[in-house]
Amino acid sequence: MKRISLLELAHNIAGSYLKPGDIAVDATLGNGHDTLFLAQSVGVKGLVFGFDIQQRALIKSYQRLLEYDLQSRVKLCLASHADMRRHIPEQWHGRVRVAMFNLGYLPGADKTVITQIDSTLAALHEACALLAPVAAITVLAYPGHPGGELDAEQLAAWCQRLDKANFTSEEILSHHDKPGAPRLFVIRKQSDLL
Ligand code: SAH
């Protein structure tokens, strides 16, 4: 049996929604792996908005995009994901196909700069409001980080409160069956109005 990581699974799920020309959001740029994947998936006519509160993450992401000459299809924003609606021009509201969150700290940087559940939930709320009629959000959480267990519990509770007419959610556990193993939350939107 082939085992894939939750990161790969998040990419597979996001990729199953994305078409050329789509709009996508990377809510936590980090080292830019998700942004690169999203930029490749949306094609030349697509657009990715990437957020991080650390300049270092924007630089790392930009360097990665440059390597693939994909920088022109990504708008990098030095801003909290909780403010994404202000940074994404109105013409794209209601058109975001995928938003990806990878929680925790920036690997190789200051481990005290870590995503906070209050802004994560605020950002998820914003992201839901920006989604296209058929769309998905992936959230990779790391309960092994300090405070991460509580974050995962709060994320699970937030998913339970989603409007069931438009959203479904699932939580996928890592195959590493140990305390603190990552957890992937997938929120899917399939609007009744279609
Ligand atoms: N834990 C993952 C990487 C996560 S990177 C791994 O190990 O692979 C998470 C990124 O989120 C960091 O770069 C951090 O700076 C960023 N971040 C923290 N709070 C944020 C916020 N409010 N808005 C946007 N990005 C934020």
Side-chain angles (χ1 to χ4, degrees):
M1 184 179 74
K2 182 176 180 293
R3 291 184 158 173
I4 64 167
S5 71
L6 291 186
L7 194 63
E8 280 178 89
L9 187 58
H11 283 190
N12 289 350
I13 292 167
S16 71
Y17 280 81
L18 288 164
K19 297 189 301 296
D22 272 347
I23 310 299
V25 171
D26 182 352
T28 49
L29 283 166
N31 285 320
H33 297 283
D34 291 343
T35 282
L36 175 62
F37 166 76
L38 292 170
Q40 287 167 329
S41 305
V42 298
V44 279
K45 298 222 170 90
L47 195 53
V48 179
F49 292 90
F51 295 87
D52 208 291
I53 51 171
Q54 296 192 75
Q55 184 76 49
R56 181 187 165 119
L58 270 71
I59 294 168
K60 287 273 178 191
S61 302
Y62 191 72
Q63 285 168 343
R64 196 174 297 284
L65 292 164
L66 271 181
E67 276 174 42
Y68 293 81
D69 196 23
L70 292 176
Q71 65 282 3
S72 63
R73 51 181 95 157
V74 181
K75 303 278 176 242
L76 297 173
C77 307
L78 182 62
S80 171
H81 39 219
D83 295 325
M84 66 171 80
R85 202 182 334 199
R86 276 203 294 121
H87 291 269
I88 299 176
E90 228 173 287
Q91 67 185 118
W92 307 122
H93 293 190
R95 297 185 56 187
V96 172
R97 183 75 64 196
V98 161
M100 298 188 80
F101 290 72
N102 193 342
L103 305 184
Y105 54 80
L106 176 60
D110 183 351
K111 290 190 179 171
T112 62
V113 183
I114 193 159
T115 51
Q116 302 291 325
I117 191 64
D118 287 352
S119 46
T120 303
L121 295 183
L124 281 167
H125 185 74
E126 292 283 281
C128 281
L130 295 171
L131 291 180
V134 176
I137 301 174
T138 63
V139 187
L140 195 47
Y142 298 84
H145 292 175
E149 184 65 46
L150 199 59
D151 287 4
E153 294 312 323
Q154 293 201 45
L155 277 166
W158 182 86
C159 287
Q160 290 305 313
R161 294 197 298 273
L162 279 166
D163 161 23
K164 305 238 176 348
N166 288 312
F167 296 96
T168 59
S169 66
E170 63 180 316
E171 184 183 343
I172 303 166
L173 302 177
S174 165
H175 60 75
H176 298 294
D177 190 18
K178 54 183 183 209
R183 290 155 75 168
L184 175 65
F185 294 85
V186 183
I187 295 127
R188 296 171 193 271
K189 180 178 174 190
Q190 173 86 50
S191 175
D192 278 353
L193 300 173
L194 280 180

